[in-house]
């Protein structure tokens, strides 16, 4: 009888990091869902209820980046030294690229009197970060087991 | 010997094979990710001193026997 080939379990460190990332994603999605529900309720509310729900929406949205920052920090602390260095380099690269983009944005806004969306800067920064992480991960490859 | 173009050379892959360990098993014993072990073996990453000492203890070798300083040969 041939033994059933089973995929080996992930090492404990990688399991911890993945678990933290999944928890972070679940929390972010939960908060986003809560914001959506509150927004729908707010659209149908009036008076004091409307003000309450408006405040609740603002509070939830305000807490979202802090919550994500907390879980990102936890995930970073659970990474090994190579993973931490990869993240540090990616964040440094993304920071520089985002600052350059913001500088260009200032020039464009002041010169052409146009309004640039803030989400564009966020998207640019996240793209730079993601690119740096992928580039760093691929550059570290090359060997075979 | 693994020759990396931005890390020091080392004998980690050969030592791992001598001890019949996979990259995942070595990573588990060193408490690092498999990606780290791969980067070490290909010379793409130089370990910290604590990790280098862990490697030395695990393989029963001195750090100088695992990692090769090419500048000494010049």
């Amino acid at each position: 009888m041939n033994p059933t080939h089973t995929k080996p379990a992930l090492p404990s460190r990688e399991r911890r990091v993945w678990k933290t990332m999944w928890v972070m994603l679940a929390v972010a999605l939960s908060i986003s869902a809560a914001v959506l529900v509150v927004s729908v309720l707010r659209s149908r509310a009036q008076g004091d209820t409307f003000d309450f729900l408006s405040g609740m929406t603002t509070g939830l949205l305000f807490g979202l980046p802090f919550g994500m920052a907390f879980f990102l920090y936890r995930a970073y602390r659970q990474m090994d030294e190579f993973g931490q260095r990869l993240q540090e380099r990616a964040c440094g690269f993304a920071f520089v690229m985002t600052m350059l983009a913001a500088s260009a944005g200032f020039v464009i806004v002041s010169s052409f009197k146009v309004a640039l969306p803030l989400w564009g800067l966020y998207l640019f920064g996240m793209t730079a970060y993601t690119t740096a992480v992928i580039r760093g991960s691929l550059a570290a490859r090359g060997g075979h087991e | 010997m693994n020759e990396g173009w931005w890390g020091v050379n080392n004998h980690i892959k050969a030592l791992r094979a001598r001890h019949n360990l996979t990259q995942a098993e070595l990573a588990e014993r060193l408490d690092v990710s498999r990606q780290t072990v791969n980067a070490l073996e290909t010379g793409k990453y130089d370990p910290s001193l604590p990790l280098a000492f862990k490697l030395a203890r695990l393989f029963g070798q001195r750090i100088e026997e695992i990692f090769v300083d090419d500048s000494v040969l010049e």
Side-chain angles (χ1 to χ4, degrees):
Chain A
M1 180 189 302
N2 293 327
T4 306
H5 177 71
T6 56
K7 199 172 181 181
L10 276 177
S12 58
R13 170 179 293 279
E14 291 186 16
R15 273 201 298 270
R16 288 199 304 270
V17 174
W18 274 112
K19 182 183 174 184
T20 301
M21 298 299 282
W22 279 116
V23 168
M24 181 183 73
L25 183 63
V27 168
L29 288 175
S30 299
I31 292 176
S32 300
V35 168
L36 187 63
V37 168
V38 170
S39 297
V40 169
L41 291 173
R42 190 184 68 164
S43 66
R44 300 177 182 185
Q46 294 175 359
D48 291 341
T49 306
F50 178 84
D51 292 336
F52 171 77
L53 291 173
S54 294
M56 198 171 172
T57 305
T58 304
L60 285 170
L61 286 173
F62 188 75
L64 188 62
F66 287 99
M68 290 183 66
F70 170 73
F71 282 109
L72 280 171
Y73 174 73
R74 276 193 64 185
Y76 170 81
R77 286 293 301 243
Q78 289 175 354
M79 291 175 188
D80 63 358
E81 57 184 63
F82 177 77
Q84 287 183 350
R85 182 180 290 191
L86 180 65
Q87 291 298 321
E88 289 160 9
R89 285 181 175 173
C91 288
F93 174 75
F95 171 76
V96 169
M97 295 303 291
T98 305
M99 289 301 106
L100 288 174
S103 301
F106 292 145
V107 171
I108 292 172
V109 167
S110 60
S111 300
F112 300 102
K113 307 298 180 201
V114 295
L116 292 178
L118 197 58
W119 60 261
L121 190 62
Y122 171 82
L123 193 64
F124 185 83
M126 287 303 292
T127 303
Y129 164 78
T130 305
T131 303
V133 168
I134 293 173
R135 173 73 179 85
S137 297
L138 291 176
R141 284 187 178 180
H144 296 281
E145 190 166 346
Chain B
M1 186 165 64
N2 305 316
E3 297 183 2
W5 26 287
W6 63 65
V8 299
N9 298 326
N10 62 74
H11 303 282
I12 294 175
K13 189 171 183 178
L15 288 167
R16 179 172 62 78
R18 193 186 302 172
H19 287 74
N20 295 317
L21 293 171
T22 62
Q23 283 188 342
E25 288 167 345
L26 179 58
E28 183 77 25
R29 294 195 185 193
L30 295 173
D31 195 27
V32 296
S33 64
R34 195 196 66 80
Q35 185 183 27
T36 303
V37 170
N38 189 35
L40 285 169
E41 290 185 354
T42 55
K44 301 291 178 61
Y45 174 70
D46 293 332
S48 64
L49 271 177
L51 184 56
F53 277 115
K54 270 188 188 178
L55 277 163
R57 274 197 300 273
L58 180 68
F59 292 135
Q61 307 250 329
R62 293 183 306 163
I63 291 178
E64 298 89 336
E65 293 170 339
I66 299 175
F67 296 94
V68 179
D69 184 8
D70 286 337
S71 61
V72 174
L73 300 174
E74 293 173 3

